[in-house]
Each structure stands twice: as structure tokens, then as C-alpha cells.
Amino acid sequence: MKKALMIIDVQKDYFIAGKMELYQPEKALQKINKLEESFLALEWPIIYIQHINVKKDASFFIPNTKGAKLHEKLKLRSHSIIIEKNFPNSFKNTQLLDILQYFKVEQVVITGMMTHMCVDSTTRAAAELGFKPILLTDATATRSLNYLGEEVTAKQVQISYLAALQNFAILQTVDTFLGEE
């Protein structure tokens, strides 16, 4: 089954000193780098998704800012596929579906940021489109949230969203996916 690696929104604003710092994004990036090496060696498609926030009141991923750039530790090449998006769902108003069909991809391997937003939305859409997603749990990152004056820690957010996403995707760690566990 032909696979493609999707790396969603691994952008500077999510890291230390960024405008929307996540919980342990560096750990997720290390796992993503390991996956990139594997997919590059196999010459399988890697698709980088970059969110550009075009809303008037945007607080991060603002067009033409340092924070909106893809992280410099990603293994981008001159021929890398980068898809710009403006919505949490990476398929909405982008060429992602066309690109996956062009490469005859049957299954997407999903990584990236934020688990509770763009990873969630894209994983559900990928399942609905028949791409049998594999979501690599340790190659994602999120942040704490608040609701009704209560803090939901990043760990709780991560567990909650992953628990729900197991209805739409195969959940694995990077090492399990790569056959190293």
C-alpha cells in the first residue's frame, strides 16, 4: 500500500519564543525527523503543510512573519512538496487531495501540530476520503486549554484527542511504525 508522510504545521510559532508555544514540540520534531529520514530513504512522498492565518485578528502564523515559517530542522529539499492552507483541515481549499491522487497514495501517515486542531481535523478528513490514516502519536504536539475556568493540561488534551481519533485512524508510535519496537 503506497504511503505518504504528512507533516502538519511544524512552524516556528509553535516553538520556544513563538506566538503559540506548544507543550514539548521539540520531542515531536525529533520523531518527525526520524520519519523524514525513513521516507526520504524509501523515496516515498513527504508533504509539508504550512498554515498561513489570513484572518484580520490573527495572533500567530501571520503571513510573511518568522513564526509562520516551517521549522528549520525539517529536512526540506529543493523539490519538497509544501502546501499552504488557511483552515484546520489540510484538504479544505488546497491541492492536497490532487497531490495524493497524483502519487497514487492509498494511506497517509499523519504527524504534526496541534493535535487538538489541525491534526484532528485533517485525520478525520483523511479517513472520510478513504486514506486509511495512521496517526503517529509521539510525532504530534498540543497545548493546554481552558474551558469554564478550568485548565485542561496538554497531556490531558493529547490523551483525549488521541482517544477520539482512534475511531478514525490507526494510532502508533514512530518506533512501532518503523518496526523498531
Side-chain angles (χ1 to χ4, degrees):
M1 183 176 298
K2 186 157 185 189
K3 294 175 177 52
L5 177 61
M6 289 177 53
I7 301 173
I8 302 170
D9 301 349
V10 179
Q11 294 168 244
K12 297 288 289 179
D13 270 342
Y14 282 154
F15 290 80
I16 293 172
K19 293 183 178 184
M20 182 59 70
E21 189 175 332
L22 301 184
Y23 177 72
Q24 298 183 334
E26 299 84 5
K27 284 186 175 183
L29 179 56
Q30 288 173 353
K31 295 293 186 174
I32 290 167
N33 289 155
K34 191 173 182 178
L35 288 161
E36 286 175 300
E37 290 169 8
S38 176
F39 273 72
L40 287 167
L42 293 167
E43 297 183 358
W44 288 353
I46 300 174
I47 301 168
Y48 297 89
I49 309 293
Q50 181 179 25
H51 193 106
I52 301 298
N53 198 336
V54 294
K55 295 178 186 170
K56 278 178 30 178
D57 60 345
S59 60
F60 65 103
F61 292 165
I62 299 166
N64 304 310
T65 64
K66 181 177 98 173
K69 291 184 179 185
L70 293 172
H71 199 282
E72 67 274 359
K73 287 188 180 175
L74 290 170
K75 300 182 183 306
L76 293 162
R77 304 291 190 260
S78 61
H79 61 279
S80 292
I81 302 166
I82 300 172
I83 295 176
E84 186 177 302
K85 69 176 177 67
N86 306 117
F87 298 95
N89 176 353
S90 298
F91 290 92
K92 185 173 180 177
N93 297 344
T94 71
Q95 295 179 327
L96 178 56
L97 181 58
D98 293 334
I99 290 168
L100 292 172
Q101 290 171 338
Y102 173 80
F103 283 105
K104 297 179 174 39
V105 171
E106 299 169 85
Q107 187 167 48
V108 293
V109 179
I110 298 176
T111 68
M113 303 172 185
M114 293 186 286
T115 308
H116 73 274
M117 186 63 70
C118 298
V119 170
D120 173 69
S121 184
T122 301
T123 299
R124 291 170 189 259
E128 291 167 356
L129 291 167
F131 286 106
K132 306 171 190 78
I134 297 173
L135 177 57
L136 298 179
T137 59
D138 54 346
T140 65
T142 193
R143 67 183 184 93
S144 297
L145 300 173
N146 288 290
Y147 183 67
L148 298 175
E150 296 285 331
E151 181 181 4
V152 183
T153 68
K155 285 182 180 182
Q156 293 168 326
V157 171
Q158 184 80 348
I159 289 168
S160 296
Y161 273 82
L162 293 174
L165 286 170
Q166 66 187 335
N167 295 303
F168 299 92
I170 298 165
L171 273 56
Q172 294 182 336
T173 64
V174 170
D175 289 345
T176 299
F177 175 78
L178 294 175
E180 297 176 0
E181 193 169 85

